Amino acid sequence: MILQAIKGKDFTGQNIYVGMDVHHKSWMISIYSDEFELKTFSQTPDVDQLEKFLKKHYPGANYRLAYEAGFCGFWIQRAFSSRGIDCRVIHPADIPGSDKEKKRKTDKVDSRKIARGLKNGDLNAIHIPEESLEADRLVVRSRVKIIHDTTAVKNRIKAFLKIRGINIADKFKTGKWSKSFIAWLYALPLTEPGDKIVLSTFLEELEFLISKQKKLDLAIKSLSETQKYATNMRLVVTIPSIGLISAMTLLTEIGDIKRFKTIDQLCSYCGLTPLTHNSGETERTGGLSRRGNAFIKTILIECAWMAIRKDPALLLYYKQLLPRMNGNKAIIKVARKLLNRIRYVLVNQKEYVTGVIV
């Protein structure tokens, strides 16, 4: 049943639930009261416009807004919160819906699911980081993207050399892209003008990306020395395998570690929670859940492989796991234990002692 708001009616004390399916060019809005669906419509992506609509048609109500976490980040939530309007960001997988709604996915269906979930109290908001922390986080994440782009360009150069049957000189087969190796590539005696253009374009792009990575490295180092991070940086790097970049990734992605009451909550946020299926007497444990922070998960697994080479306690733990599971599954458990160490030093503000099992 669709109801229109009565003109001039006072909604003081009543709740209005607003589900937003946000896109780059438009927002699909669904509005519910405690009893009914009131309205579903599309509008331009404008916070002012939606606020004016709500205050005009449902004056005095308690507004509850929500939208899925995604490409637009948290600016919408911050804009409404700054105006005293409750707005939440929801993990897409946490929005309840019927099988029919999953198979018939439209913007209207999505916005209605969010509004209905708000009304029923089924939605838990994700943590919203401070703007300054989010800005610091983007600096570290930008470095990751630059590295991915750099790897892609290097692969294109290698593919070009193979297509042209050019073998890399033995002295450059170490895998390092040194200045002398890049100079050697520039000096290759290519006879076709097109080949020279292609290779020089790739090399110029590579040099550009390398210079940007160096700039970001300096920015991250400077950030780590600020009052905001210096103390925690000093503590975290006492853990074997944790260096500057991995430490800053952890600190900027996690934020205040005390907001996680248990290690299980922290592991879930970091993407180190396995998939499980328990029915009756049957229990199956699969791979890692796709939920969680991919940046932290990647760093923790990389650090875990290094940690078992540097920390005797973690090496022993890893070896004890191998008879029961393969190395890849064992290293996930090592990563969880490594995360527990990180939590310990940050919560207790104590340096880590190598070889001690936490």
Side-chain angles (χ1 to χ4, degrees):
M1 181 177 182
I2 309 296
L3 299 180
Q4 297 291 336
I6 301 174
K7 188 175 180 179
K9 184 176 180 181
D10 184 10
F11 283 78
T12 300
Q14 299 186 43
N15 295 318
I16 292 295
Y17 306 96
V18 183
M20 306 164 59
D21 189 44
V22 298
H23 296 279
H24 179 64
K25 294 183 178 180
S26 66
W27 292 351
M28 184 62 67
I29 308 297
S30 289
I31 302 176
Y32 278 61
S33 67
D34 283 315
E35 299 81 20
F36 308 106
E37 177 186 349
L38 301 176
K39 191 175 182 64
T40 295
F41 61 95
S42 178
Q43 69 155 69
T44 57
D46 189 321
V47 170
D48 290 334
Q49 181 179 337
L50 181 54
E51 181 187 16
K52 290 177 181 176
F53 178 90
L54 293 174
K55 290 183 176 180
K56 177 182 178 181
H57 292 81
Y58 314 103
N62 299 317
Y63 308 119
R64 303 281 187 269
L65 283 66
Y67 64 96
E68 292 181 359
F71 76 97
C72 61
F74 305 113
W75 74 267
I76 299 173
Q77 189 276 339
R78 292 190 181 111
F80 280 114
S81 294
S82 67
R83 300 158 193 239
I85 298 176
D86 179 12
C87 183
R88 307 174 187 180
V89 184
I90 310 299
H91 192 295
D94 290 342
I95 301 171
S98 65
D99 181 65
K100 179 181 178 181
E101 288 173 325
K102 292 177 181 178
K103 291 179 178 177
R104 183 177 170 270
K105 188 181 186 312
T106 66
D107 294 346
K108 285 185 178 181
V109 168
D110 288 345
S111 64
R112 284 169 175 159
K113 284 197 301 182
I114 296 171
R116 191 172 64 243
L118 270 176
K119 179 176 74 73
N120 296 335
D122 295 331
L123 303 182
N124 295 318
I126 64 174
H127 175 72
I128 308 298
E130 296 178 359
E131 281 193 81
S132 60
L133 177 63
E134 187 178 17
D136 297 342
R137 182 183 293 175
L138 289 175
V139 174
V140 183
R141 288 186 177 186
S142 295
R143 182 184 182 276
V144 175
K145 293 176 181 177
I146 288 291
I147 289 175
H148 288 168
D149 293 343
T150 302
T151 301
V153 174
K154 289 178 179 179
N155 289 337
R156 286 198 287 271
I157 293 172
K158 290 178 181 178
F160 171 83
L161 296 178
K162 288 182 179 179
I163 289 172
R164 286 306 181 205
I166 300 172
N167 293 318
I168 298 175
D170 290 339
K171 61 180 179 179
F172 298 127
K173 288 184 178 180
T174 59
K176 296 181 179 179
W177 289 70
S178 61
K179 289 183 179 180
S180 57
F181 177 44
I182 293 175
W184 179 82
L185 290 170
Y186 269 117
L188 285 174
L190 301 174
T191 57
E192 295 295 330
D195 288 345
K196 293 180 180 179
I197 292 172
V198 170
L199 183 57
S200 64
T201 299
F202 288 159
L203 291 172
E204 287 168 7
E205 184 180 4
L206 176 63
E207 290 181 311
F208 172 79
L209 290 171
I210 290 173
S211 68
K212 292 303 177 185
Q213 182 184 333
K214 290 179 179 178
K215 184 178 180 180
L216 287 169
D217 286 342
L218 290 174
I220 293 170
K221 187 176 186 302
S222 297
L223 194 61
S224 71
E225 295 169 350
T226 60
Q227 184 179 2
K228 185 177 181 181
Y229 296 105
T231 300
N232 285 337
M233 271 292 300
R234 177 181 59 80
L235 295 170
V236 173
V237 295
T238 62
I239 303 173
S241 78
I242 304 292
L244 171 67
I245 299 300
S246 54
M248 283 303 294
T249 301
L250 292 165
L251 294 176
T252 55
E253 295 291 341
I254 293 174
D256 182 10
I257 201 165
K258 292 182 180 179
R259 64 189 175 92
F260 300 100
K261 303 304 181 184
T262 66
I263 184 61
D264 286 339
Q265 290 179 356
L266 181 57
C267 285
S268 177
Y269 176 76
C270 296
L272 295 179
T273 303
L275 294 168
T276 58
H277 179 79
N278 192 330
S279 179
E281 297 179 357
T282 303
E283 182 174 351
R284 298 188 184 95
T285 301
L288 288 179
S289 168
R290 296 183 65 181
R291 294 188 59 152
N293 188 304
F295 291 94
I296 303 180
K297 178 164 60 177
T298 300
I299 285 291
L300 284 173
I301 293 174
E302 290 176 358
C303 289
W305 282 114
M306 291 186 285
I308 60 176
R309 294 171 173 82
K310 297 181 178 181
D311 189 328
L314 288 177
L315 176 60
L316 178 61
Y317 178 66
Y318 177 73
K319 286 182 174 293
Q320 290 172 342
L321 294 171
L322 288 180
R324 296 186 283 117
M325 61 188 69
N326 63 41
N328 289 333
K329 287 187 177 181
I331 207 65
I332 299 302
K333 290 187 174 292
V334 174
R336 285 176 62 96
K337 192 165 283 290
L338 182 64
L339 182 59
N340 199 24
R341 283 157 162 69
I342 294 166
R343 179 174 180 263
Y344 176 84
V345 300
L346 290 176
V347 170
N348 296 283
Q349 292 291 288
K350 291 182 179 180
E351 294 186 2
Y352 176 68
V353 179
T354 303
V356 177
I357 297 179
V358 177

